Amino acid sequence: MTDAGSQDEPVPGPDTEGRDPVRRIPDIISLVKDSYSELRPAERRVADVVLDDVKYAVDASNAALAQRAGVSEPTVTRFCRAIGCEGVRDFKLKLAQSLVVGALYLAKSPSVSNDNGMPFWNAVFGEARRALQEAERQLDPAQLQKAAELIAKARQVTVFGLGGSSSALAQETQYRLFRYGITVSAQCDPYLMRMTASTLKPGDLVIAISATGRTREVIEAVELAKHYRANAIAVTAPDTELARTCDVRLTVAVPEYPDTLKPTASRFAFLAAIDLLAVASAYKLDGSARETVRRIKYNAQIHRTGKEMEPLGD
């Protein structure tokens, strides 16, 4: 038996699935910004040039970068070392990597052009309308009916969603379905997904939600559920691995508006798919669903005053 600090401690290597660990490349843009106050005045002028036009800084020669900043070439070298790079070449390699993520995120906000002074106003409402139109055009009614049949006859339903958007959609699916008397739970933790999938049996159902259809943890949890002969519904993008893994596919693709500060519009399309899925399931259950909704409304309304057509449960 060895203690934690002994030489027998395993060294980093491929993970348990044979994949090499991801090589961490520092976020050089953040390093420049975070180090800015510690730089000399001349070095700050180099930082200003870099932050103002990252693509130019990647492509420009050392002399051109120095000329635009109004400093000497050795100052550019000192700037690179001041933020933790070995030199200009190392700095430019890391800076180029930042453009792989996307120059879109480095762009300045659009100028105000609307009468209300908010350039994002039309983008938010317009993209929401477009997402709903795309959902109406792309969702397959036949697949929706199959999905509703699986939900209506399922012994229990579990919803998988991971990340900032899909986890919220998974919770929303749970809220939509339980009010019809469906036994449903949402899991947004990858380990709990695997654990839950391991408990499923024939007649159980998984609803897997992923905007990209590439989230490995969700795909693996669905594959595990299907190994135990549970059925699976995908709410995702078309022609993805998650879609191919599931029995029923509710797929929609919504191109994103090029404003990185605006919330993703695809969630409106997925919300529409979830609402359709819930209502179609309720129609399959019919009488039992209506009775469950009546009970919820009755007990909610005697708990506090309200109108009959207010949102169920607020």
Side-chain angles (χ1 to χ4, degrees):
M1 184 173 178
T2 59
D3 61 32
S6 74
Q7 293 181 347
D8 292 334
E9 186 177 354
V11 297
D15 63 20
T16 55
E17 296 181 357
R19 294 190 295 266
D20 290 330
V22 176
R23 180 173 173 265
R24 281 277 180 203
I25 299 175
D27 181 357
I28 199 69
I29 298 294
S30 290
L31 287 176
V32 173
K33 292 179 179 179
D34 294 343
S35 303
Y36 191 87
S37 62
E38 301 166 9
L39 299 175
R40 296 186 177 95
E43 293 167 351
R44 288 183 189 178
R45 292 202 290 274
V46 180
D48 290 337
V49 170
V50 170
L51 295 175
D52 186 62
D53 192 340
V54 174
K55 190 174 187 311
Y56 170 81
V58 170
D59 296 334
S61 66
N62 193 16
L65 198 57
Q67 183 178 10
R68 178 172 285 199
V71 299
S72 66
E73 292 186 43
T75 299
V76 175
T77 303
R78 283 195 297 271
F79 158 78
C80 296
R81 290 174 178 163
I83 61 170
C85 296
E86 295 176 5
V88 176
R89 178 177 173 80
D90 181 43
F91 169 71
K92 288 196 173 187
L93 285 172
K94 291 172 180 173
L95 194 62
Q97 181 64 32
S98 70
L99 291 178
V100 173
V101 175
L104 185 64
Y105 289 86
L106 302 171
K108 294 181 174 64
S109 299
S111 58
V112 175
S113 58
N114 293 348
D115 292 338
N116 58 20
M118 290 181 279
F120 52 83
W121 183 277
N122 289 337
V124 170
F125 283 109
E127 289 300 291
R129 285 191 293 268
R130 187 169 67 87
L132 291 174
Q133 290 168 354
E134 288 298 318
E136 185 175 10
R137 183 177 68 84
Q138 295 181 40
L139 290 171
D140 185 347
Q143 289 286 298
L144 181 68
Q145 288 295 337
K146 289 180 183 178
E149 289 170 5
L150 288 177
I151 293 173
K153 69 181 184 182
R155 187 178 70 94
Q156 64 172 327
V157 178
T158 185
V159 192
F160 293 158
L162 191 64
S165 179
S166 294
S167 59
L169 291 171
Q171 292 286 344
E172 181 71 15
T173 306
Q174 177 184 335
Y175 298 149
R176 297 270 73 78
L177 293 179
F178 90 88
R179 65 189 64 200
Y180 300 128
I182 295 166
T183 303
V184 57
S185 62
Q187 302 296 344
C188 305
D189 176 272
Y191 291 103
L192 285 175
M193 287 181 198
R194 292 184 71 89
M195 292 168 66
T196 303
S198 302
T199 70
L200 300 179
K201 298 176 176 63
D204 293 336
L205 175 67
V206 169
I207 301 174
I209 303 173
S210 173
T212 64
R214 298 190 303 269
T215 306
R216 175 50 48 191
E217 294 89 345
V218 174
I219 294 168
E220 289 176 352
V222 172
E223 289 173 341
L224 190 57
K226 288 182 65 62
H227 172 75
Y228 292 109
R229 296 190 292 163
N231 294 310
I233 298 168
V235 181
T236 188
D239 301 319
T240 58
E241 186 176 356
L242 179 60
R244 291 187 289 271
T245 303
C246 293
D247 305 292
V248 179
R249 306 163 187 87
L250 300 178
T251 61
V252 59
V254 180
E256 290 297 334
Y257 186 83
D259 182 347
T260 57
L261 298 181
K262 185 188 70 61
T264 175
S266 61
R267 77 188 193 286
F268 290 107
F270 289 129
L271 279 170
I274 290 166
D275 277 355
L276 286 168
L277 190 61
V279 176
S281 303
Y283 270 80
K284 291 288 182 184
L285 293 166
D286 197 24
S288 64
R290 292 180 189 277
E291 172 58 15
T292 305
V293 172
R294 184 197 66 80
R295 291 185 187 185
I296 293 172
K297 188 64 177 179
Y298 174 79
N299 286 290
Q301 201 155 333
I302 64 170
H303 177 67
R304 58 175 174 76
T305 58
K307 298 177 182 178
E308 185 177 0
M309 293 307 295
E310 285 181 337
L312 184 64
D314 204 10

